[in-house]
Amino acid sequence: MDIENSKLIGMAMISLTSMLGSYYLVLRIREHHAERPDPKLTYATLTQMEKLRAETMRLVGDAVQDLRSLRAEIREETRSIQKQYLRSLTETRQLISKNSQNISSLIAQSQIANQRIAELSVKTDRIVLKMKEES
């Protein structure tokens, strides 16, 4: 083998190896920065986005309507509870008034009964005294 040819072949091999290495590095850098998975498979189209927006707006509208109806139901229930509370409060006041009237009449009746008992005890004492005196 010729020494000059071997130098030329060595230089060619070194330059070929360095070019292949740089090409390999470029491919690796490109692969590293490439999107995964393929953007054509993962990105949504404009029509799909419009459908999604329309569906989202419909769902939001339904939720708002449900919220309004729930608020109306809560207002009605609150009014109903307040009416029931006022009715029961009025009935309680009437019962308390009746009870106080009944209690005052019972007190008056008991005082009258006590007075009669006292009068009867005085009369029985007199009768007993008269019977003792006669005997």
Side-chain angles (χ1 to χ4, degrees):
M1 263 209 198
D2 216 0
I3 291 185
E4 283 191 23
N5 264 345
S6 64
K7 283 184 181 182
L8 184 64
I9 291 175
M11 286 173 48
M13 289 297 284
I14 289 175
S15 55
L16 182 66
T17 305
S18 66
M19 285 170 47
L20 285 174
S22 62
Y23 181 68
Y24 178 72
L25 284 175
V26 167
L27 287 178
R28 291 285 307 259
I29 291 171
R30 184 175 172 206
E31 179 185 340
H32 180 70
H33 289 292
E35 291 187 40
R36 293 181 193 214
D38 186 16
K40 293 176 186 172
L41 301 175
T42 57
Y43 291 155
T45 62
L46 186 59
T47 57
Q48 291 171 335
M49 289 302 292
E50 288 296 320
K51 286 180 186 177
L52 179 65
R53 187 177 67 77
E55 182 69 19
T56 304
M57 293 305 289
R58 186 188 65 77
L59 289 174
V60 168
D62 290 347
V64 167
Q65 184 62 32
D66 289 345
L67 183 62
R68 285 181 184 150
S69 65
L70 285 174
R71 284 180 179 167
E73 287 178 20
I74 289 171
R75 273 192 297 263
E76 284 299 315
E77 288 179 6
T78 303
R79 287 180 191 140
S80 171
I81 288 172
Q82 286 174 345
K83 287 178 184 177
Q84 184 179 0
Y85 172 74
L86 289 175
R87 253 186 277 125
S88 64
L89 188 62
T90 304
E91 290 174 5
T92 304
R93 285 180 182 159
Q94 289 173 351
L95 285 174
I96 289 171
S97 174
K98 272 186 180 178
N99 282 345
S100 64
Q101 289 172 359
N102 290 338
I103 289 170
S104 64
S105 69
L106 284 173
I107 289 172
Q109 288 175 2
S110 69
Q111 287 175 349
I112 291 171
N114 283 338
Q115 186 179 6
R116 286 184 182 170
I117 291 171
E119 289 172 2
L120 283 175
S121 65
V122 168
K123 287 180 182 179
T124 54
D125 286 343
R126 284 185 195 163
I127 292 173
V128 169
L129 282 175
K130 280 185 183 179
M131 287 177 67
K132 284 186 182 180
E133 286 176 3
E134 290 176 7
S135 354

